[in-house]
Amino acid sequence: MAANVAPLLLTAAKSILIALVVYFIGKWVIHFTLRATDKIFVKYEVEPSLASFLKSFLKGLLYIVLILAILSTVGVEVTAFIAVLGAAGLAIGLALQGSLANFAGGILILIFKPFKVGDTIEAQGTLGSVETIAILYTTVRNFDNKVVTIPNGALANNSIVNFSVKPTRRIDMSVGVAYGTDLKKTRQVILDTLKKDERIHADPAPAVYFTNFGDNSLDLTVRCWANADDLWPVFWDSMEALKESLEANAIEIPFPQRDVHHFFPEGKPEIKG
């Protein structure tokens, strides 16, 4: 009896010893891999939230592989276990298609960085400042202080306008003057007014173009450049300054009006009284 037990104990001891060796070697490999991954993330400036998620995902995957290797070492059949994991993964994937699309979109956004926290963007009918970029959703705060949550899948697969990428922005303004106005004089008054604002760049220089014969006015387009942070303050201040300058130079700013001509085919009636 003892003679039969001894080989079994020896085989079990060998299996346990090999399993321990595999475990310690596997832990060292996992630790080394995670440290190398951290260095890669730092080198390529991967977004911290993405780096944390990928590191956790990789760590979990490596430990699953290690457990399967240990079970295989001690003689446990892992083929069926792998098949169960695959079937479970497929079922979960089918049930969470929308979430997986958002997950993939979040990964793409965090890797390629079409925008970052603090940028002003326009996407999915929303214009505002990016507050957070998570794996599944991005939150944008509108300028009236409403927070909009946008799925990353939609962001990754549609157009995004980022107003914060470039340091300078062009400001477009429309000015209408009355018919009969001297356009050369008007253009000079507008340019002189814009030159007084130090926030407006000299290069590219401001420009004024005659763009349309309006119903009630000659329409001019005024263009100038400023730092992105100064866009709206320059726009508002310039519109007010242009109004005052045009009025000071006796240049009429028209308002909608109509000339009415009344015809009397039967003759103009006599006005009594």
Side-chain angles (χ1 to χ4, degrees), residues 171-238:
I171 302 169
D172 291 352
M173 294 171 282
S174 296
V175 176
V177 296
Y179 277 88
T181 300
D182 185 342
L183 292 183
K184 292 183 178 179
K185 175 185 176 182
T186 303
R187 181 180 287 108
Q188 192 59 51
V189 168
I190 292 174
L191 293 175
D192 290 343
T193 302
L194 296 178
K195 287 179 182 178
K196 296 177 183 178
D197 193 333
E198 296 181 353
R199 297 169 297 179
I200 296 177
H201 296 181
D203 185 22
V208 180
Y209 303 98
F210 172 52
T211 53
N212 185 47
F213 292 96
D215 291 338
N216 305 288
S217 63
L218 299 174
D219 298 330
L220 303 173
T221 296
V222 181
R223 291 177 176 173
C224 61
W225 290 79
N227 293 337
D229 293 338
D230 295 330
L231 174 69
W232 289 112
V234 169
F235 177 85
W236 293 321
D237 293 344
S238 296

Side-chain angles (χ1 to χ4, degrees), residues 3-266:
N4 294 330
V5 172
L8 294 175
L9 291 176
L10 181 61
T11 302
K14 288 182 179 179
S15 297
I16 293 173
L17 179 61
I18 295 173
L20 288 173
V21 172
V22 171
Y23 171 74
F24 286 111
I25 293 177
K27 280 205 68 174
W28 179 85
V29 170
I30 291 173
H31 178 71
F32 176 80
T33 302
L34 294 177
R35 287 188 61 185
T37 302
D38 282 335
K39 293 180 180 178
I40 293 173
F41 288 157
V42 172
K43 179 179 179 181
Y44 291 98
E45 299 180 352
V46 177
E47 190 78 20
S49 56
L50 175 61
S52 176
F53 173 80
L54 291 179
K55 183 179 177 181
S56 299
F57 180 78
L58 178 61
K59 183 177 180 180
L61 182 63
L62 290 175
Y63 269 106
I64 290 175
V65 173
L66 176 59
I67 291 172
L68 292 176
I70 293 172
L71 292 176
S72 178
T73 300
V74 296
V76 176
E77 182 60 48
V78 298
T79 305
F81 184 67
I82 294 174
V84 170
L85 284 178
L90 178 61
I92 293 173
L94 292 174
L96 300 175
Q97 290 184 49
S99 296
L100 290 176
N102 293 334
F103 169 79
I107 297 295
L108 292 174
I109 289 171
L110 292 170
I111 290 176
F112 294 105
K113 300 178 181 178
F115 56 84
K116 62 182 184 297
V117 173
D119 284 357
T120 298
I121 66 169
E122 183 176 5
Q124 298 298 295
T126 298
L127 173 63
S129 176
V130 178
E131 286 204 326
T132 60
I133 305 173
I135 292 296
L136 297 179
Y137 300 97
T138 293
T139 57
V140 177
R141 179 174 52 83
N142 283 341
F143 295 117
D144 56 356
N145 215 32
K146 291 185 294 187
V147 175
V148 181
T149 301
I150 306 175
N152 285 335
L155 286 176
N157 291 286
N158 291 280
S159 299
I160 300 172
V161 180
N162 192 330
F163 296 94
S164 302
V165 174
K166 300 298 182 181
T168 59
R169 292 277 304 280
R170 193 184 74 188
I171 302 169
D172 291 352
M173 294 171 282
S174 296
V175 176
V177 296
Y179 277 88
T181 300
D182 185 342
L183 292 183
K184 292 183 178 179
K185 175 185 176 182
T186 303
R187 181 180 287 108
Q188 192 59 51
V189 168
I190 292 174
L191 293 175
D192 290 343
T193 302
L194 296 178
K195 287 179 182 178
K196 296 177 183 178
D197 193 333
E198 296 181 353
R199 297 169 297 179
I200 296 177
H201 296 181
D203 185 22
V208 180
Y209 303 98
F210 172 52
T211 53
N212 185 47
F213 292 96
D215 291 338
N216 305 288
S217 63
L218 299 174
D219 298 330
L220 303 173
T221 296
V222 181
R223 291 177 176 173
C224 61
W225 290 79
N227 293 337
D229 293 338
D230 295 330
L231 174 69
W232 289 112
V234 169
F235 177 85
W236 293 321
D237 293 344
S238 296
M239 289 297 289
E240 185 173 344
L242 289 175
K243 176 184 180 297
E244 294 174 352
S245 295
L246 293 174
E247 290 177 345
N249 286 272
I251 297 174
E252 181 183 354
I253 302 174
F255 54 88
Q257 51 189 313
R258 293 289 185 271
D259 291 333
V260 179
H261 302 273
H262 194 170
F263 295 94
F264 300 93
E266 69 283 357

